[in-house]
């Protein structure tokens, strides 16, 4: 059997070595396709493999159609909006993610971005401190929970909104629960986004919501660019000179934002939330183990297309 690691943005070498080792012990041959520049390379590489590991690489219907032997695809990471689940299901292919495996890296980056924005993107001038500030955690999943934990070390006051998590589970972490997005945004000087991109959340972070944030507000986005209404945030930044936006998922209007808003806007050149050796190893090895467990025992833990 064959498994393909298709990563336009490659894993750390230690992660690739670890994946190869897991596959080799299970009698699976590893095929590696890194830094590919066109989908044709992916169509060709996927043609005869039984399993596929990707990161944010798009697994479209065309990829699925090209993969004649594919039985399982694992997104080594949390968000699976890059997988065409309907296409997988139609071909009886199991799709999985590896929840929690890269969360700490993303959470550390979110706090790092808060410090960076509070200190004027490390340019000369008087900044502010995170201590005592109200932080709104928008969605309390694996990343949100770790953001709360690290924020406590900065003596921030954490609030969360997540209708899918029991209030008592949030409160036991010392985080205050609010009942609506509107309440979260009107209460907190900092908002850290941890919602997935789906039909319900796309463009949901809009002008009306953001304009509720108090004076001196900062939005941190380590989630997905699609959840932001770009016209709305541009309008807000134009009308509120106190508002700051830092993102690890650059908007389509990134260049214009960077030119227009200078020190109040920051976007990473390439998504780097999960770009740590530790996160690569955790997510990559988890993906490989899930593939082996599925192919040898039919274990479908973390299946996302059911
Ligand atoms: C995730 O959903 O796990 C993160 O966005 C990480 O994505 P990446 O593997 O492309 O860095």
């Amino acid at each position: 059997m064959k498994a393909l690691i298709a990563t336009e943005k490659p894993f750390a070498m230690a992660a690739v070595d670890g994946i190869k080792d897991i596959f080799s012990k299970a009698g699976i041959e590893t095929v590696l396709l890194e830094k590919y520049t066109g989908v044709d390379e992916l169509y060709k590489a996927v043609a005869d493999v039984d399993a596929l590991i990707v990161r944010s690489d798009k697994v479209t219907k065309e990829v699925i159609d090209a993969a004649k032997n594919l039985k399982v695809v694992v997104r080594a990471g949390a968000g699976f909006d890059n997988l065409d689940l309907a296409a997988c299901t139609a071909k009886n292919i199991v799709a999985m993610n590896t929840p929690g495996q890269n969360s700490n890296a993303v959470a550390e980056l979110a706090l790092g971005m808060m410090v960076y924005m509070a200190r004027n993107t490390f340019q000369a001038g008087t900044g502010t401190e995170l201590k005592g500030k109200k932080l709104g955690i928008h969605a309390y999943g694996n990343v949100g929970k770790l953001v709360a934990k690290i924020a406590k070390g900065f003596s921030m006051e954490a609030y969360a909104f997540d209708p899918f998590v029991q209030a008592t589970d949030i409160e036991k972490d010392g985080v205050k629960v609010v009942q609506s997005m509107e309440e979260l945004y009107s209460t907190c000087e900092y908002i850290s986004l941890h919602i997935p991109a789906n039909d319900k959340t796309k463009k949901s972070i809009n002008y009306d919501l953001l304009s509720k944030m108090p004076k001196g507000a900062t939005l941190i986005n380590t989630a997905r660019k699609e959840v932001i209404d770009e016209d709305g945030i541009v309008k807000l930044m134009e009308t509120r000179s106190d508002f700051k936006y830092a993102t690890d998922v650059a908007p389509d209007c990134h260049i214009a934002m960077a030119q227009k808003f200078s020190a109040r806007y920051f976007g990473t050149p390439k998504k780097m939330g999960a770009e740590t050796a530790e996160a690569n190893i955790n997510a990559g090895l988890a993906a490989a183990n899930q593939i082996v467990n599925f192919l040898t025992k039919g274990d479908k833990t973390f299946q996302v297309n059911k």
Side-chain angles (χ1 to χ4, degrees), residues 167-179:
T168 45
D169 287 340
I170 300 175
E171 282 160 355
K172 71 173 164 19
D173 292 345
V175 176
K176 295 184 185 77
V177 175
V178 298
Q179 301 308 321

Side-chain angles (χ1 to χ4, degrees), residues 9 55-56 75-80 102 106 222-224 271 273-275:
K9 187 174 65 182
R55 295 186 64 178
S56 288
R75 190 283 192 246
F80 46 88
N102 58 19
V106 181
T222 55
R224 289 290 182 270
K271 187 167 68 157
E275 282 294 79

